[in-house]
């Protein structure tokens, strides 16, 4: 076999049409072997003799796409010094673009030893582990164009590749649960009709199924256990894992882009699947443990701010390079449109504390590729000082956990929630205005993959996670949920009607709030997980979306009526820029609008402007808010000032019906466009017409939206 010196950059395996260049970083190993794996279980080892800046490299003519390979690192095994080289381990390439196979947990876990000390004489792992794969980088993108949807037009739909598509009756069985299913017209049609502009996929980086879960007969369903930051997860490919997963993922992105839907990836750069000191050696640990991980002072153990056993070393230049190379790869080669960063506070831990000015954020800010896509932080981790909502740099948007908590509290009747609810409804200026960000920095959500589904939020007071095998100890215990009087399933019609109304309340509130709304997959169908608020290991019908016409567990959906209401609320938001302002409200008339009314005004149910005493009342649970469509004060794409209809939103979160008075000086004629007390939430026809000073009775825990239709409206609706 010919072996040429090759190049130290780019890292990983790079096919050029005639052969493949291999390059891998390690400062800890004395020497590194590239192992080419054959289908008969044998391997050919090639020592990487060339080294530049601790990158070992070689070029092998004739090595083609589909070739499986791995590395063996020869060097010191000294855990007391943080060194864990072991040539018995076949290691994944940290830059592998595709991965074949899976970890074969069993009584004899070949190549993986749990506990200390780890033997250097473990059985050869090649036939029983994952292997890196050389891929063909060439793909016909045709005229693919990124939608580049601005944040104020964005509606995010968080989904799991398998969970979204596994039971869809309109999909061929052989593609269900795969990237190909995402590209199927039946799935795309639903997203387009719903009004979704961005599909946020739960982890699709190659991940590992945990040994503990396998022993329990469960699977790592969510996938927050990454081992390959460049490789699409191979189990989501419908027709092979020798590079086919890359082609299939690209095809899905191309199809979604054609429908105008962006693709955002939920990425896990805070830790890896190698776990703590008792975990398996799969890749990074065996190549250069102290360069990749945050170690304790004695170097034997791992610092952990993620709750997973380890944390990547964010002050290591090689870790930072790998993360940035990965992000650029997914943007430039896979054409994704943005990222949601899991436990993003860990990425800011350059030393111990969360540092807003850490190197990672500096690199993102100056990167000409990564800085131009959507960057969404999950702004917390489990370490000390890890809750950082509102503290990320101006380039970033954030999952607004305070929005979730406040909206839940408001609608379940928690005292003293009114003032904070008003802040969350209007874009959380207390979190984002001081550093120059706008309402669009807030990614608003009521539910997500982690926690109760929308249906379960109104059907359970307590978590019911026994199926996870941890005696119901896992998952959040404080859900801010309310079961509406009965825990779980019930035949009580009043309870069922209240639950349906509460779900409509949450959806309408979410869609009419300033910021960027995010829907969790299946919530539009009232998907249930039977009270399980931590379905990370439930790769089954409990966690999969149940579609109309498909099969699934009894009870809890699919609710096609709720889906229609969700669609109506999304399109109401789309049609009216007053619900998706790019700037915060000022609380005063806007100059140049020739409108003496304030851009926003708050009223008691009696139609009087709210006073400090009203805001401070512990028992207050109802209010109205006027949104002035003639005072948006921002230009459209042509530089012309946007105007819109004005709206009056009435919220009654109290446990009894209340009369609401329409304010007398903010419009003479109104019509009801949303009433969550109705079974479908939207009045038939043109909706009831209401005059200034009239009274409307809102049933307990309901919401009504009025649209102004008189001569106070100035200008036409903008876009």
């Amino acid at each position: 076999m010919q072996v040429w010196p090759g190049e130290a950059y780019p890292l990983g395996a790079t096919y050029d049409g005639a052969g493949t260049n291999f390059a891998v970083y390690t400062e800890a190993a004395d020497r590194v072997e590239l192992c080419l794996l054959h289908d008969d279980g044998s391997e050919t080892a090639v020592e990487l003799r060339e080294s530049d800046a601790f990158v070992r490299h070689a070029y092998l003519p004739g090595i083609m796409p589909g070739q499986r390979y791995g590395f063996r690192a020869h060097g010191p095994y000294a855990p007391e010094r943080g060194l864990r080289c072991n040539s018995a381990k076949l290691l994944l390439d940290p830059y592998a673009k595709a991965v074949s196979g899976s970890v074969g947990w069993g009584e004899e876990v070949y190549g993986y030893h749990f506990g200390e000390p780890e033997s250097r004489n473990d059985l050869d792992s090649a036939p029983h582990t994952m292997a890196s794969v050389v891929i063909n980088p060439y793909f016909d993108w045709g005229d693919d164009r990124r939608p580049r949807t601005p944040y104020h037009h964005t509606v995010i739909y968080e989904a799991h590749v398998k969970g979204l598509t596994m039971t869809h009756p309109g999909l061929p069985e052989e593609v269900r649960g795969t990237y190909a299913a995402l590209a199927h017209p039946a799935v795309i049609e639903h997203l387009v009709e719903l009004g979704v502009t961005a599909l946020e996929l739960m982890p699709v980086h190659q991940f590992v199924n945990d040994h503990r879960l396998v022993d329990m007969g469960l699977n790592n369903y969510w996938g927050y256990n990454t081992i390959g930051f460049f490789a699409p997860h191979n189990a989501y490919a419908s027709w092979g894992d020798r590079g086919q997963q890359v082609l299939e993922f690209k095809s899905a992105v191309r199809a979604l882009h054609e429908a105008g839907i962006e693709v955002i990836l939920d990425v896990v750069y805070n830790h890896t699947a190698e776990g703590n000191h008792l975990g398996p050696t799969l890749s990074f640990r065996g190549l250069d443990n102290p360069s990749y991980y945050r170690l304790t002072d004695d170097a034997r153990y791992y610092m952990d701010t993620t709750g997973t056993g380890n944390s990547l070393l964010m002050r290591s230049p090689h870790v930072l390079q790998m993360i940035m190379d990965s992000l650029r790869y997914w943007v430039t080669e896979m054409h994704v449109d943005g990222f949601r960063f899991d436990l993003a506070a860990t990425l800011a831990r350059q030393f111990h504390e969360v540092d807003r000015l850490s190197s990672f954020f500096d690199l993102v800010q100056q990167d000409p590729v990564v800085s131009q896509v959507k960057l969404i932080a999950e702004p917390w981790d489990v370490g000390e000082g890890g809750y950082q909502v509102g503290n990320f740099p101006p380039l970033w948007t954030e999952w607004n956990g305070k929005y979730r908590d406040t909206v839940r509290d408001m609608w379940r009747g928690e005292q003293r929630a009114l003032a904070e609810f008003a802040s969350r409804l209007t874009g959380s200026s207390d979190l984002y205005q001081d550093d120059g960000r706008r309402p669009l920095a807030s990614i608003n959500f009521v539910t997500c993959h982690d926690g109760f589904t929308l249906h379960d939020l109104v059907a359970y007071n307590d978590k019911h996670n026994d199926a996870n095998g941890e005696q119901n100890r896992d998952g959040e215990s404080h859900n801010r949920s309310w079961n509406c009087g009965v825990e779980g399933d019930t035949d009580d019609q009043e309870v069922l009607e209240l639950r349906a109304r509460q779900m409509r309340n949450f959806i309408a509130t979410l869609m009419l709030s300033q910021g960027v709304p995010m829907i969790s997959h299946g919530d539009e169908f009232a998907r249930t997980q039977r009270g399980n608020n931590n379905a990370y290991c439930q790769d089954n019908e409990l966690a999969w979306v149940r579609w109309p016409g498909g099969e699934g567990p009894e009870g809890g959906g699919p609710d096609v009526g709720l889906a229609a209401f969700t669609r109506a609320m999304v399109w109401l938001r789309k049609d009216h820029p007053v619900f998706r302002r790019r700037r915060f409200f000022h609380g005063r008339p806007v100059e140049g609008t020739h409108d003496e009314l304030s851009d926003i005004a708050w009223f008691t149910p009696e139609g009087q402007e709210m006073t400090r005493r009203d805001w401070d009342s512990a028992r207050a649970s109802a209010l109205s808010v006027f949104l002035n469509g003639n005072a948006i004060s921002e230009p459209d794409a042509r530089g012309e000032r946007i105007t819109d209809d004005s709206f009056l939103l009435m919220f009654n979160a109290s446990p009894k019906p209340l009369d609401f008075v329409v304010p007398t000086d903010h419009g003479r004629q109104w019509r009801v466009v949303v009433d969550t007390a109705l079974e479908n939430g939207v009045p038939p026809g043109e909706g009831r017409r209401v005059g200034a000073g009239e009274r409307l009775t809102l049933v307990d825990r309901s919401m009504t939206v009025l649209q102004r239709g008189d001569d106070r409206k100035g200008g036409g609706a903008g876009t």
Side-chain angles (χ1 to χ4, degrees):
M1 175 183 295
Q2 294 186 65
V3 179
W4 299 355
E7 303 290 341
Y9 188 86
L11 290 164
T14 306
Y15 172 70
D16 64 4
T20 302
N21 190 84
F22 295 89
V24 62
Y25 161 78
T26 172
E27 192 171 344
D30 298 326
R31 62 188 184 92
V32 175
E33 289 179 308
L34 165 68
C35 299
L36 304 177
L37 307 179
H38 309 300
D39 290 341
D40 62 3
S42 63
E43 65 180 57
T44 300
V46 177
E47 184 173 348
L48 301 180
R49 298 181 181 276
E50 299 292 331
S51 178
D52 293 292
F54 300 108
V55 175
R56 315 298 174 94
H57 54 88
Y59 179 90
L60 275 61
I63 297 300
M64 307 298 283
Q67 173 66 57
R68 295 180 304 130
Y69 70 97
F71 297 112
R72 296 191 185 276
H74 299 259
Y77 178 80
E80 69 280 1
R81 292 190 286 131
L83 301 173
R84 294 175 179 267
C85 296
N86 186 343
S87 59
K89 313 286 188 178
L90 183 76
L91 304 174
L92 282 175
D93 182 356
Y95 277 68
K97 305 301 191 301
V99 172
S100 175
S102 60
V103 175
W105 306 121
E107 267 189 37
E108 291 183 320
V109 184
Y110 290 88
Y112 307 115
H113 181 86
F114 293 86
E116 297 289 356
E118 184 173 328
S119 169
R120 291 176 58 92
N121 298 311
D122 288 337
L123 295 173
D124 183 44
S125 62
H128 305 278
T129 184
M130 300 179 289
S132 308
V133 179
V134 177
I135 70 157
N136 188 339
Y138 306 108
F139 180 78
D140 183 8
W141 283 103
D143 58 355
D144 180 67
R145 296 290 185 274
R146 292 187 178 86
R148 298 189 183 278
T149 307
Y151 271 118
H152 66 287
H153 285 292
T154 296
V155 177
I156 298 173
Y157 189 86
E158 186 200 28
H160 187 283
V161 172
K162 188 173 185 180
L164 177 64
T165 64
M166 195 63 188
T167 68
H168 196 302
L171 301 181
E173 289 192 15
E174 62 270 17
V175 304
R176 293 181 185 180
T178 70
Y179 304 121
L182 296 178
H184 194 279
V187 172
I188 291 179
E189 180 181 2
H190 174 72
L191 297 177
V192 171
E193 287 182 353
L194 193 60
V196 169
T197 69
L199 184 63
E200 183 177 301
L201 294 175
M202 291 173 65
V204 298
H205 287 175
Q206 185 68 46
F207 62 86
V208 174
N209 207 350
D210 309 58
H211 190 198
R212 179 184 64 84
L213 293 178
V214 172
D215 284 347
M216 296 167 61
L218 300 170
N219 290 308
N220 188 319
Y221 169 61
W222 284 354
Y224 292 92
N225 203 32
T226 304
I227 196 61
F229 295 107
F230 295 78
H233 187 60
N234 56 25
Y236 297 155
S238 64
W239 57 292
D241 68 357
R242 301 285 184 94
Q244 293 92 336
Q245 60 266 54
V246 178
L247 299 177
E248 194 168 317
F249 180 87
K250 289 179 176 180
S251 296
V253 171
R254 184 177 59 190
L256 288 161
H257 280 181
E258 188 175 354
I261 298 173
E262 294 183 308
V263 178
I264 298 172
L265 300 189
D266 192 339
V267 290
V268 189
Y269 292 111
N270 52 73
H271 74 280
T272 79
E274 292 185 304
N276 62 17
H277 63 287
L278 301 178
T281 297
L282 303 173
S283 177
F284 314 95
R285 173 179 296 166
L287 284 167
D288 199 321
N289 191 51
S291 288
Y292 281 108
Y293 294 112
R294 295 185 64 205
L295 303 179
T296 57
D297 290 341
D298 64 4
R300 179 181 288 271
Y301 303 108
Y302 295 84
M303 298 287 288
D304 179 17
T305 58
T306 64
T308 61
N310 66 55
S311 300
L312 284 172
L313 183 62
M314 295 308 298
R315 66 176 181 268
S316 165
H318 304 287
V319 169
L320 292 170
Q321 179 188 2
M322 179 183 70
I323 293 174
M324 295 306 298
D325 285 349
S326 170
L327 292 171
R328 278 190 295 270
Y329 174 78
W330 286 94
V331 173
T332 58
E333 297 298 321
M334 308 296 265
H335 286 209
V336 304
D337 304 280
F339 305 94
R340 178 266 188 189
F341 293 80
D342 178 65
L343 301 181
T346 291
L347 302 177
R349 292 184 185 273
Q350 188 163 343
F351 294 97
H352 174 71
E353 298 81 6
V354 175
D355 181 4
R356 182 177 172 182
L357 301 178
S358 71
S359 299
F360 173 70
F361 295 118
D362 291 342
L363 289 172
V364 170
Q365 179 72 39
Q366 60 81 40
D367 190 277
V369 174
V370 179
S371 65
Q372 299 306 303
V373 301
K374 288 184 168 67
L375 301 171
I376 304 170
E378 183 187 34
W380 51 77
D381 64 15
V382 300
E384 182 180 354
Y387 192 76
Q388 294 290 319
V389 174
N391 292 331
F392 275 70
L395 188 65
W396 292 68
T397 61
E398 300 175 11
W399 270 26
N400 191 343
K402 291 187 177 182
Y403 178 95
R404 171 199 60 203
D405 296 345
T406 302
V407 171
R408 289 185 179 192
D409 279 348
M410 172 72 174
W411 283 115
R412 72 188 179 111
E414 193 73 7
Q415 292 189 354
R416 298 191 184 280
L418 203 60
E420 188 167 1
F421 174 76
S423 177
R424 303 297 159 241
L425 183 75
T426 54
S428 297
S429 60
D430 58 323
L431 299 177
Y432 304 115
Q433 192 169 31
D434 288 348
D435 59 10
R437 286 190 284 176
R438 296 181 176 181
L440 302 168
S442 178
I443 305 298
N444 298 331
F445 66 105
V446 176
T447 59
C448 63
H449 69 274
D450 190 2
F452 280 148
T453 65
L454 182 63
H455 170 277
D456 293 357
L457 185 65
V458 301
Y460 295 91
N461 284 349
D462 304 307
K463 63 185 180 182
H464 296 268
N465 297 354
D466 296 286
N468 297 351
E470 299 181 45
Q471 292 75 52
N472 206 35
R473 292 192 301 265
D474 62 305
E476 176 61 57
S477 296
H478 182 44
N479 295 283
R480 302 175 190 263
S481 61
W482 179 49
N483 63 18
C484 298
V486 178
E487 187 75 358
D489 293 340
T490 181
D491 294 325
D492 188 316
Q493 194 60 34
E494 288 188 9
V495 172
L496 292 175
E497 290 176 0
L498 176 56
R499 289 177 177 177
R501 191 158 69 246
Q502 286 284 69
M503 285 190 282
R504 291 192 290 270
N505 289 335
F506 282 124
I507 291 170
T509 302
L510 176 65
M511 288 304 154
L512 303 183
S513 295
Q514 305 299 321
V516 180
M518 184 184 78
I519 307 168
S520 180
H521 70 183
D523 273 353
E524 72 271 31
F525 295 128
R527 180 175 74 88
T528 181
Q529 292 178 171
R530 321 299 292 172
N532 191 320
N533 74 351
N534 190 33
Y536 76 102
C537 57
Q538 298 298 323
D539 188 6
N540 51 56
E541 290 180 344
L542 182 72
W544 300 340
V545 174
R546 183 183 176 191
W547 292 82
E551 298 180 358
E554 294 297 321
D559 186 335
V560 294
L562 184 63
F565 178 74
T566 304
R567 183 164 53 248
M569 291 302 95
V570 173
W571 284 98
L572 180 64
R573 176 187 181 85
K574 282 176 172 286
D575 288 341
H576 294 285
V578 73
F579 297 124
R580 43 183 175 80
R581 292 167 53 102
R582 285 176 282 169
R583 293 177 174 86
F584 288 108
F585 290 101
H586 300 287
R588 60 179 183 271
V590 177
E591 295 181 7
T593 63
H594 307 293
D595 191 332
E596 72 278 12
L597 296 179
S598 173
D599 57 358
I600 188 170
W602 302 92
F603 301 94
T604 66
E606 291 76 23
Q608 303 299 314
E609 290 209 31
M610 294 279 287
T611 65
R612 179 175 294 277
R613 183 176 180 180
D614 295 322
W615 287 116
D616 292 341
S617 173
R619 297 185 178 278
S621 55
L623 83 168
S624 297
V625 56
F626 168 74
L627 305 180
N628 191 346
N630 196 34
I632 297 178
S633 73
E634 51 197 40
D636 62 13
R638 298 182 298 274
E640 299 175 2
R641 187 174 63 81
I642 296 174
T643 58
D644 189 15
D645 296 325
S646 295
F647 288 83
L648 187 67
L649 281 58
M650 298 175 169
F651 299 91
N652 178 18
S654 72
K656 60 182 180 181
L658 289 177
D659 284 346
F660 280 68
V661 177
V662 178
T664 57
D665 57 354
H666 283 68
R668 288 196 291 268
Q669 292 294 325
W670 303 80
R671 65 185 181 93
V672 178
V673 293
V674 178
D675 183 355
T676 62
L678 299 175
E679 185 175 357
N680 61 6
V682 179
E686 289 294 316
R688 174 185 172 184
R689 298 200 175 269
V690 184
E694 285 194 39
R695 290 180 176 269
L696 285 175
T697 300
L698 271 65
V699 304
D700 59 291
R701 295 188 171 88
S702 70
M703 174 181 170
T704 294
V705 179
L706 305 181
Q707 183 174 358
R708 194 171 68 182
D710 64 11
D711 58 3
R712 273 198 178 276
K713 172 179 171 285
T719 57

